[in-house]
Amino acid sequence: MKILVSGKGGTGKTTIATLLSIIFSKNGYNVLALDTDSVPNMAQSLGIPYEESEKIVPLAKNDALAEERTGARPGMGWGVLFSLTPRVDDLADKYGLRINDRLKLVVIGSIDVSKEGCLCPAIALAKAFLLHVMISRNEVIIVDSEAGAEVFGRGLADHFDMNITVSEPTIKSLLIAKKLIKMANELNVKNNILVINKASDEIEAAQLFTKIFKDYKIPYHIVRYDQNIVNLEIKGIGLNNLPENSIAYQDIFSLYNKILKMLKRS
């Protein structure tokens, strides 16, 4: 299963991606979590201490590795030749951070070429690795994407089995989520689901969904606001410490079951 978690910034994409990764791994699946945000913080959410997570060098910023694999060092200037098909099949094992017996994290960082100004060797390496993972790895892949629609323009969307778009329970956030889901559909992502996150009133959230998506049929799932998550983040503690009987954990466990049913049907 290849699952993309998308949405605008601040909706809680990383929280959803992290807890899904933990739940899948606890239920017998081998999981590779990929952080492709320009400000990656999934490591902290998975329980890696802040002091250690700050030292992680994303693949898209690893100049030495890029030079080793592509034949050119980032920043060498225009016109330099480098490989667009570097060896990447060993990177998940070499650079993956072991979270538990079945869960590993690779911090990729942003691979949005437009923000770098050119297709540099490091970004070429990161893109090649991500494509390899999507096509060749036989495990559950959960990608915490960069905020916005960039991921749908990288030629990667058609490799995902499911897109989960995360929204806050507001009209503005739901309208943006609707645009992202439409883009995913246009790029042939077969399974799409909307997650309305941090909902303090389930009925109100459902009514907003009906209002915004009245002309667009899409399954949705509500994750209620959980003060436990806020408390953990204030203390800098990972979501792996979130009690299984907490509101958000239970709601995301229900989402996990819904994902399995949708993908089995498809």
Side-chain angles (χ1 to χ4, degrees), residues 79-99:
V80 64
L81 298 177
F82 58 90
S83 173
L84 293 175
T85 56
R87 183 190 174 195
V88 293
D89 60 318
D90 60 337
L91 296 186
D93 295 324
K94 283 189 174 183
Y95 292 91
L97 305 168
R98 178 63 65 183
I99 307 300

Side-chain angles (χ1 to χ4, degrees), residues 97-110:
L97 305 168
R98 178 63 65 183
I99 307 300
N100 62 41
D101 290 343
R102 291 188 175 273
L103 173 56
K104 188 180 289 185
L105 167 71
V106 176
V107 179
I108 297 177
S110 174

Side-chain angles (χ1 to χ4, degrees), residues 8 72 77 141 189 205 226 232 265:
K8 81 177 188 69
I141 309 294
V189 180
D226 192 340
L232 289 175
R265 282 200 303 266

Side-chain angles (χ1 to χ4, degrees), residues 10-264:
T11 57
K13 290 187 290 64
T14 299
T15 297
I16 301 297
T18 297
L19 286 173
L20 279 176
S21 299
I22 291 169
I23 290 170
F24 267 102
S25 69
K26 282 186 175 181
N27 285 273
Y29 291 89
N30 291 321
V31 181
L32 180 62
L34 305 176
D35 192 344
T36 65
D37 202 323
S38 55
V39 186
N41 57 18
M42 199 173 183
Q44 288 176 250
S45 294
L46 283 167
I48 296 175
Y50 171 80
E51 296 80 7
E52 294 181 30
S53 65
E54 286 293 291
K55 298 175 184 177
I56 297 171
V57 179
L59 291 186
K61 299 292 184 182
N62 193 329
D63 292 352
L65 178 63
E67 183 176 18
E68 174 195 328
R69 297 302 174 94
T70 68
R73 191 172 185 85
M76 291 179 65
W78 293 97
V80 64
L81 298 177
F82 58 90
S83 173
L84 293 175
T85 56
R87 183 190 174 195
V88 293
D89 60 318
D90 60 337
L91 296 186
D93 295 324
K94 283 189 174 183
Y95 292 91
L97 305 168
R98 178 63 65 183
I99 307 300
N100 62 41
D101 290 343
R102 291 188 175 273
L103 173 56
K104 188 180 289 185
L105 167 71
V106 176
V107 179
I108 297 177
S110 174
I111 57 171
D112 185 7
V113 175
S114 63
K115 291 181 180 178
E116 299 292 333
C118 65
L119 180 58
C120 79
I123 289 182
L125 176 70
K127 290 185 71 172
F129 171 71
L130 186 52
L131 186 59
H132 164 77
V133 165
M134 298 303 298
I135 294 173
S136 303
R137 301 281 296 197
N138 185 26
E139 57 204 324
V140 176
I141 309 294
I142 297 179
V143 179
D144 182 14
S145 77
E146 186 162 14
E150 289 89 349
V151 69
F152 297 122
R154 298 173 183 156
L156 296 167
D158 54 347
H159 295 293
F160 286 103
D161 300 305
M162 172 171 282
N163 165 56
I164 299 171
T165 297
V166 183
S167 170
E168 292 175 296
T170 66
I171 289 177
K172 182 178 180 180
S173 188
L174 285 166
L175 286 170
I176 294 172
K178 186 177 181 180
K179 291 179 181 179
L180 292 176
I181 291 170
K182 283 185 174 181
M183 290 179 69
N185 272 324
E186 290 167 359
L187 292 169
N188 299 317
V189 180
K190 295 179 181 178
N191 297 285
N192 288 277
I193 185 168
L194 169 72
V195 170
I196 304 175
N197 192 31
K198 299 183 283 187
S200 55
D201 187 324
E202 291 181 84
I203 295 175
E204 185 179 78
Q207 289 173 339
L208 279 175
F209 167 80
T210 301
K211 179 178 182 179
I212 301 301
F213 285 83
K214 60 184 177 181
D215 59 340
Y216 197 78
K217 188 176 180 181
I218 183 77
Y220 76 100
H221 186 84
I222 294 175
V223 176
R224 292 166 290 174
Y225 174 83
D226 192 340
Q227 184 63 34
N228 287 305
I229 290 179
V230 178
N231 294 341
L232 289 175
E233 291 182 346
I234 289 173
K235 297 175 183 176
I237 300 173
L239 294 174
N240 54 319
N241 291 289
L242 186 68
E244 293 189 8
N245 62 354
S246 66
I247 293 170
Y249 191 100
Q250 290 296 312
D251 287 346
I252 295 176
F253 188 81
S254 296
L255 174 62
Y256 155 80
N257 283 318
K258 188 176 289 186
I259 290 168
L260 291 180
K261 290 177 182 177
M262 287 179 66
L263 292 180
K264 284 177 181 177

